[in-house]
């Protein structure tokens, strides 16, 4: 069963993001900004967060999260071809605006997540990637 709309909306409210606005921005980005052929094949207009968890997490982290928030990765979710990314607020609230991509929320076990960091950007310093800056402009 998918995540409940109520629980998902709570995460959007914590981040201060409108779900429709994010989904519309991701639809504009489309398959073009996904890295691999497999990711592009998995993305659909009806599931715009699919394979965009890194970009969404980076957007939340760099533009919206309070000081002390941490990025996390979660491997091994069925239907995901990599490491799912999300942000944890300092009060341990999970903000995962891409979790609705998964058909079964029970497969998403945040207790198995590990702290991680983002890659350095094209300027060689920590900061949002080009894809994340594009998302920010669209938001």
């Amino acid at each position: 069963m998918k995540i409940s709309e109520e629980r998902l909306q709570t995460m959007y409210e914590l981040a201060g993001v409108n779900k429709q606005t994010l989904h519309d921005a991701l639809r504009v980005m489309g398959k073009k900004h996904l890295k691999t052929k497999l990711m592009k094949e998995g993305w659909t207009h009806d599931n715009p967060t699919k394979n965009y968890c890194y970009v969404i997490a980076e957007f939340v982290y760099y533009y919206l999260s309070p000081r002390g928030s941490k990025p996390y990765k979660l491997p091994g979710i069925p239907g995901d071809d990599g490491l799912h990314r999300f942000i944890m607020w300092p009060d341990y609230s999970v903000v995962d605006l891409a979790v609705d991509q998964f058909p079964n929320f029970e497969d998403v076990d945040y207790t198995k997540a590990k702290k991680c960091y983002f890659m350095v950007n094209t300027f060689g310093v920590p900061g949002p990637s080009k894809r994340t800056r594009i998302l920010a402009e669209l938001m």
Side-chain angles (χ1 to χ4, degrees):
M1 179 154 79
K2 288 186 81 77
I3 186 170
S4 73
E5 195 57 38
E6 182 180 331
R7 185 162 182 188
L8 184 61
Q9 188 58 39
T10 298
M11 291 187 210
Y12 273 91
E13 288 171 6
L14 280 171
V17 173
N18 178 279
K19 180 181 171 187
Q20 189 63 49
T21 303
L22 176 64
H23 284 205
D24 289 346
L26 293 169
R27 287 182 182 109
V28 170
M29 292 179 73
K31 295 178 181 186
K32 176 182 176 185
H33 295 285
L34 292 169
K35 293 289 191 183
T36 68
K37 182 181 178 194
L38 187 61
M39 288 175 139
K40 290 176 183 189
E41 289 172 353
W43 186 89
T44 66
H45 190 78
D46 293 332
N47 192 358
T49 60
K50 180 71 175 169
N51 296 322
Y52 268 111
C53 64
Y54 184 94
V55 174
I56 295 167
E58 207 178 41
F59 171 73
V60 170
Y61 182 75
Y62 284 114
Y63 294 98
L64 305 170
S65 67
R67 184 183 287 286
S69 297
K70 303 283 185 216
Y72 278 77
K73 62 184 176 183
L74 181 59
I77 300 172
D80 190 34
D81 63 349
L83 298 171
H84 183 64
R85 305 291 185 121
F86 65 93
I87 305 300
M88 190 174 295
W89 259 218
D91 69 358
Y92 303 103
S93 297
V94 169
V95 175
D96 185 354
L97 304 186
V99 71
D100 60 342
Q101 71 180 291
F102 300 112
N104 188 1
F105 182 62
E106 292 176 6
D107 291 335
V108 182
D109 184 354
Y110 293 116
T111 65
K112 294 182 179 178
K114 303 222 182 292
K115 230 183 296 181
C116 68
Y117 295 94
F118 298 110
M119 296 179 275
V120 294
N121 63 26
T122 53
F123 306 111
V125 295
S129 66
K130 180 179 178 182
R131 296 184 306 152
T132 299
R133 292 191 312 272
I134 291 168
L135 177 61
E137 287 174 19
L138 292 169
M139 293 293 291

